[in-house]
Amino acid sequence: MSIITRFKDIMSSNINALLDKAENPEKMIDQYLRNLNRDLGKVKSETASVMAEEQRSKRALTECQDEMEKMERYAVKALEAGNEGDARKFLEKKGSLGTKFTELQASYQLASSNSLQMKQMHDKLVADIGELESRRSMLKAKWSVAKTQERINKLGSSAADSGHSISAFGRMEEKVNRALDEANAMAELNAGPKDDIEDLTAKYDDSPNVDNELAALKERIKNNG
């Protein structure tokens, strides 16, 4: 049966395993559904043909068995009638039908096995299609969420990088400030010690006497006059 060979992968296929291997489950599930629906039409047609062959083989086997039982009954009747020669002929016919029965039985067993395999394929296809169709929306939604999360993760990584950059800039600013403080300290050291003695002596010098200055000014005006 070439149809059984052609669709052998249907029996061994596993939906979850296929989806796990798929890079894009959303596209995978749509393509797999299209393939299954196309195969289902072929399997239905072939299954009906194989089942019809099984029924034909079964009828032929039953008819042969009935004919053998009929020949045996006639042989009994012939013996009861005292016609042993006729009984022998009926038994010879039964013997030839026995060879045919063996062949028909083998044919029926093969047809029955083929029919069973085809019905299993058909039932699995129908079940797979039903399962995929019921899960398609859910799987697509999950895939969309997963892709969104992936984009968020990438943005989060970029934000983390910017945080590292800000941190690095802060360390750089701290280093510059430290260098500036060191330079100012060095400049102060290079300026040398300041002589504060003049300021100190001025503190104790007599302040100008306003009354004395006013009297001197009056005397000078008087003399000039």
Side-chain angles (χ1 to χ4, degrees):
M1 293 296 296
S2 60
I3 185 67
I4 292 176
T5 301
R6 271 203 312 275
F7 294 108
K8 185 171 63 176
D9 61 325
I10 295 172
M11 299 306 300
S12 61
S13 66
N14 182 287
I15 294 175
N16 293 324
L18 288 172
L19 292 177
D20 288 343
K21 295 177 182 178
E23 293 182 2
N24 189 332
E26 184 177 0
K27 292 182 179 180
M28 178 66 180
I29 194 171
D30 287 339
Q31 182 60 48
Y32 194 55
L33 268 174
R34 285 193 293 270
N35 293 343
L36 287 179
N37 279 296
R38 184 188 65 241
D39 293 341
L40 181 59
K42 298 176 183 178
V43 170
K44 276 186 175 180
S45 176
E46 198 68 26
T47 300
S49 175
V50 171
M51 290 176 68
E53 176 64 22
E54 179 190 17
Q55 292 302 317
R56 190 198 66 77
S57 297
K58 185 177 181 179
R59 281 196 306 272
L61 183 63
T62 301
E63 290 172 359
C64 183
Q65 186 174 13
D66 291 343
E67 190 67 16
M68 289 171 63
E69 292 174 355
K70 178 181 176 182
M71 291 299 101
E72 186 172 338
R73 289 196 303 271
Y74 274 103
V76 171
K77 287 182 179 182
L79 284 175
E80 290 175 346
N83 297 321
E84 186 175 332
D86 291 344
R88 183 181 295 277
K89 289 180 181 179
F90 287 131
L91 291 176
E92 288 175 353
K93 178 63 175 177
K94 178 187 175 183
S96 65
L97 288 172
T99 301
K100 180 180 180 182
F101 179 82
T102 301
E103 295 174 354
L104 289 174
Q105 193 173 40
S107 296
Y108 171 69
Q109 289 175 349
L110 179 59
S112 179
S113 176
N114 289 340
S115 178
L116 177 62
Q117 291 185 64
M118 290 306 301
K119 283 186 285 188
Q120 288 175 338
M121 286 187 201
H122 173 270
D123 293 346
K124 187 176 190 302
L125 270 175
V126 172
D128 281 0
I129 290 172
E131 181 181 354
L132 280 179
E133 287 180 343
S134 66
R135 294 173 59 194
R136 173 162 50 182
S137 297
M138 178 269 292
L139 286 172
K140 286 188 174 183
K142 281 188 175 181
W143 179 250
S144 178
V145 170
K147 298 304 288 183
T148 300
Q149 185 62 52
E150 184 179 343
R151 292 195 298 271
I152 291 174
N153 291 342
K154 289 181 179 178
L155 291 174
S157 177
S158 298
D161 290 342
S162 66
H164 294 155
S165 298
I166 292 174
S167 178
F169 183 84
R171 291 193 299 271
M172 188 184 305
E173 183 178 17
E174 182 181 350
K175 184 176 181 180
V176 169
N177 289 336
R178 187 168 58 250
L180 180 60
D181 291 340
E182 291 176 357
N184 288 335
M186 184 62 69
E188 184 176 345
L189 291 173
N190 291 336
K194 182 178 179 181
D195 188 1
D196 294 332
I197 193 65
E198 291 182 2
D199 294 336
L200 187 61
T201 56
K203 178 179 178 181
Y204 295 98
D205 286 343
D206 293 335
S207 298
N209 192 310
V210 176
D211 291 336
N212 291 337
E213 289 185 7
L214 182 60
L217 184 60
K218 286 179 178 181
E219 185 67 25
R220 190 174 61 191
I221 293 172
K222 180 180 178 181
N223 294 330
N224 291 336

